């Protein structure tokens, strides 16, 4: 999985841009969904809220995300992607999809492509699982936060 993820990043030009992988991941999440708070984004990306705040500050400075008060709770700040941020994500996704499509079509048999579809469904279920490891290594979760480390 790590090798494929690295190859996809390389082939999509993700390393060629000025943004880090964590910045692009946060930008992608903001562009793909409804506006989110720093804490919500941190939990979704398995980061500490302080790290996500730094990530969002860079994205905001570059004009890729914007902040606005939460209409339901003025104490909260919601982040959303700007038009420029959405365009950046779209370009990256198109490059990633183009390489992956070519690799699948040029490498896998029809039976393997069918099996790949089943595998993707299984991997998505695993990634969305609420199961936590009893042997997890690293720092403890932040009390009161939905922070989890990536497996």
């Amino acid at each position: 999985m790590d090798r494929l993820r690295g190859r996809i990043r390389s082939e999509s030009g993700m390393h060629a841009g000025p943004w880090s992988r964590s910045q692009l991941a946060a930008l992608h999440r903001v562009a793909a969904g409804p506006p989110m708070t720093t804490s919500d984004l941190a939990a979704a990306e398995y980061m500490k809220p302080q790290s996500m705040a730094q990530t969002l500050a860079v994205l905001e400075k570059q004009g890729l995300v914007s902040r606005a008060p939460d209409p339901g709770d003025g104490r909260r700040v919601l982040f959303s992607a700007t038009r420029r941020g959405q365009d950046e994500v779209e370009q990256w996704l198109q490059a990633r999809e183009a390489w992956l499509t070519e690799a699948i079509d040029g490498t896998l048999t029809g039976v393997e492509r069918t099996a790949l579809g089943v595998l993707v469904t299984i991997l998505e279920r695993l990634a969305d699982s609420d199961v936590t490891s009893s042997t997890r290594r690293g720092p403890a979760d932040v009390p009161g936060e939905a922070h989890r480390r990536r497996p």
Side-chain angles (χ1 to χ4, degrees):
M1 299 273 300
D2 288 340
R3 287 182 58 218
L4 179 59
R5 186 175 30 237
R7 179 74 188 268
I8 290 169
R9 281 195 303 265
S10 176
E11 294 294 338
S12 68
M14 188 173 173
H15 294 299
W19 299 287
S20 71
R21 185 171 60 98
S22 61
Q23 290 165 344
L24 284 174
L27 179 59
H28 179 253
R29 182 149 325 252
V30 170
M36 298 176 77
T37 66
T38 301
S39 293
D40 291 340
L41 283 163
E45 290 298 320
Y46 304 93
M47 295 173 68
K48 292 186 178 186
Q50 298 85 351
S51 298
M52 181 56 74
Q54 291 173 343
T55 296
L56 290 168
V58 170
L59 296 174
E60 185 176 25
K61 184 176 180 181
Q62 295 298 318
L64 301 173
V65 299
S66 61
R67 65 174 66 216
D70 183 337
D73 182 350
R75 297 170 295 174
R76 295 170 23 122
V77 174
L78 298 175
F79 286 87
S80 56
T82 63
R83 171 83 333 263
R84 182 171 174 232
Q86 291 171 344
D87 290 345
E88 184 71 28
V89 168
E90 187 61 34
Q91 289 173 3
W92 175 64
L93 291 175
Q94 286 175 357
R96 180 181 73 175
E97 186 176 315
W99 177 81
L100 191 54
T101 298
E102 287 179 35
I104 289 169
D105 290 345
T107 307
L108 302 182
T109 67
V111 171
E112 289 170 329
R113 284 192 292 272
T114 300
L116 183 60
V118 173
L119 177 60
V120 167
T121 301
I122 292 168
L123 291 174
E124 285 175 344
R125 284 181 42 218
L126 286 173
D128 293 338
S129 170
D130 289 334
V131 175
T132 57
S133 172
S134 61
T135 60
R136 180 174 58 196
R137 295 177 18 188
D141 286 346
V142 177
E145 294 291 332
H147 174 79
R148 293 181 288 173
R149 288 179 39 146
R150 281 189 195 263

